[in-house]
Amino acid sequence: MKKFAVLGFGTVGSGVVELFYRNRAKIEEKAGAPMELAYILDLRDFPDSPYAEKFTKSLDTILADKDITVVAECMGGVEPAFSYLMRCLQNDISVVTSNKELIAAKGAELLAEAKAHSCNCFFEASVGGAIPIIRPLHRCLAANDFSAIYGILNGTTNYILNKMLTDGMTFADALAKAQKHGYAEREPSADVDGHDACRKICILASLAFGKHVYPESVYTKGIREISLEDAAAADALDGAVKLIASVTRLADGRILPAVMPMFVPHENLMSRVDGVFNCVEVCGDAIDRAYFTGRGAGKFPTASAVMGDVIEASKHHKTVFSQYWTDAGTQDFVAGIDALESGMFIRFSEDADAEQVFTAVSEALQANGISDDTLSATTNACVIPEKMNRTTQDAVLKALADKGFAAAHWMPVMDA
Ligand code: HSE
């Protein structure tokens, strides 16, 4: 008999409990042994729950049961989740978590503690919801030298951007709908301002490059400035506006993580990943590119990843499979956004004749030594796929403003 406990009975925690009982026979078959959900920790009372007898308010009750081998944390937030998981590990209990805020802030410490106790610390659910990405990245793809990872990592903002484009829905209405579906964080700013996606790219970057990348080091811009006009102009130029979390390795060996809205051309699969779906593109020297996609938020998609980790941790108790990265003691290996070289999607404040727009942009590019071969333009926007550094981008914007084509809004362009 393998015994485990769940910490937190919110959206994800209750999903884990329900999923376990719904698919118990299959789960036990995969685990190779009978399993028992022995405790659910929550400070609230659930007297009418069918699992009422399993609830406890004290971690000590769980730690006192020496048959518990795995604890799944679905509480959210850094504390008390961090202290609780450290205590579990110190008691030789493996931990599983869906908590991206916790792993992005304290991953290196938790992984070190897990290793010291020959336990596992798994967090498949922390990035991409249902999508298997953590385990593939550090196991199946372990032989690669990674050059970049790009992701649509926040279901709420992807849902909002999609609703703005397809239904002409306002930002506020689309956010309210995402909240109703249970996708959004408790504090909507975590989604809308890019912090949630930032935590997730920190986790992927730490995993891929072996050093803890902290959220404070990452340029993060959300989707508040994206308008219906931007979404429509991008569509007219054969692309979509997406909140992209990325990390790229630079020629000088540093890495550049960032979260920002980008124009994604329709040739790239990411432009067609809609609604609550997430997508991760991994670029490595052996694989070229691999894409992973699936539901990035929601009760059961996230519970699926948590339960998968619980099965894995139960099966391999005291055999360390955890991925590992360390705190380098400095964030000098992380570059700032000024190091980004990218193309530009520009939406202008005034409409004009499409040919006039094309000519004006073409001249501004040529004046700065940039080819206009791949330029495309409409009446109120243009896409320049050619990569430019920040100084050249500013010069192009200035040259356009001088010609009477002031930018209402611009964003970087993702590769096709
Ligand atoms: N608020 C998050 C999202 C939940 O929308 O993606 C999953 O991490």
Side-chain angles (χ1 to χ4, degrees), residues 115-364:
K115 201 173 180 194
H117 292 272
S118 302
C119 288
N120 284 301
C121 171
F122 289 150
F123 43 91
E124 189 63 66
S126 67
V127 181
I131 306 174
I133 181 62
I134 302 292
R135 202 165 282 116
L137 199 55
H138 84 95
R139 290 176 71 178
C140 318
L141 304 177
N144 281 265
D145 184 13
F146 297 114
S147 52
I149 298 173
Y150 300 94
I152 294 172
L153 298 180
N154 183 265
T156 301
T157 45
N158 204 44
Y159 179 87
I160 293 172
L161 290 171
N162 196 213
K163 285 283 168 202
M164 283 168 73
L165 179 65
T166 57
D167 300 356
M169 206 180 261
T170 63
F171 182 93
D173 286 350
L175 173 60
K177 256 200 142 166
Q179 286 171 317
K180 203 169 140 210
H181 282 301
Y183 303 152
E185 295 299 300
R186 268 174 291 185
E187 169 48 62
S189 147
D191 294 305
V192 170
D193 295 317
H195 306 303
D196 178 72
C198 170
R199 290 164 188 149
K200 292 166 177 168
I201 198 65
C202 285
I203 295 171
L204 296 184
S206 304
L207 200 52
F209 297 103
K211 294 177 190 167
H212 196 126
V213 178
Y214 288 96
E216 299 74 31
S217 317
V218 179
Y219 175 81
T220 303
K221 187 175 177 185
I223 63 163
R224 282 189 203 272
E225 287 172 19
I226 304 299
S227 61
L228 291 175
E229 288 82 4
D230 290 321
D235 190 49
L237 284 163
D238 283 329
V241 178
K242 296 287 181 190
L243 183 67
I244 300 293
S246 62
V247 57
T248 44
R249 201 189 49 219
L250 304 178
D252 64 10
R254 293 181 300 160
I255 59 167
L256 170 50
V259 177
M260 59 199 166
M262 292 182 86
F263 173 91
V264 184
H266 278 150
E267 291 98 313
N268 190 313
L269 172 71
M270 291 254 195
S271 73
R272 302 186 297 275
V273 172
D274 289 329
V276 72
F277 277 67
N278 282 190
C279 185
V280 186
E281 177 186 334
V282 181
C283 306
D285 61 340
I287 56 167
D288 183 18
R289 307 201 268 189
Y291 289 89
F292 301 79
T293 188
R295 287 184 184 275
K299 180 172 176 166
F300 290 112
T302 313
S304 158
V306 172
M307 206 56 231
D309 276 352
V310 170
I311 294 169
E312 187 87 345
S314 299
K315 271 173 90 168
H316 302 292
H317 186 52
K318 294 306 244 176
T319 308
V320 180
F321 280 124
S322 281
Q323 48 284 352
Y324 196 66
W325 67 72
T326 53
D327 182 339
T330 167
Q331 294 282 281
D332 284 359
F333 63 98
V334 179
I337 196 65
D338 284 347
L340 180 75
E341 297 198 356
S342 74
M344 300 174 88
F345 162 89
I346 309 170
R347 184 176 61 78
F348 300 104
S349 44
E350 308 283 341
D351 281 17
D353 179 80
E355 250 176 63
Q356 283 177 339
V357 176
F358 187 94
T359 305
V361 181
S362 172
E363 286 171 7

Side-chain angles (χ1 to χ4, degrees), residues 76-149:
V78 175
E79 284 294 356
F82 176 63
S83 307
Y84 283 11
L85 293 196
M86 288 296 272
R87 287 184 63 204
C88 289
L89 292 168
Q90 286 152 7
N91 281 272
D92 293 343
I93 296 171
S94 284
V95 298
V96 168
T97 179
S98 57
N99 188 337
K100 54 263 164 156
E101 189 177 357
L102 174 66
I103 296 297
K106 300 283 189 184
E109 283 174 71
L110 284 165
L111 290 169
E113 197 68 26
K115 201 173 180 194
H117 292 272
S118 302
C119 288
N120 284 301
C121 171
F122 289 150
F123 43 91
E124 189 63 66
S126 67
V127 181
I131 306 174
I133 181 62
I134 302 292
R135 202 165 282 116
L137 199 55
H138 84 95
R139 290 176 71 178
C140 318
L141 304 177
N144 281 265
D145 184 13
F146 297 114
S147 52
I149 298 173

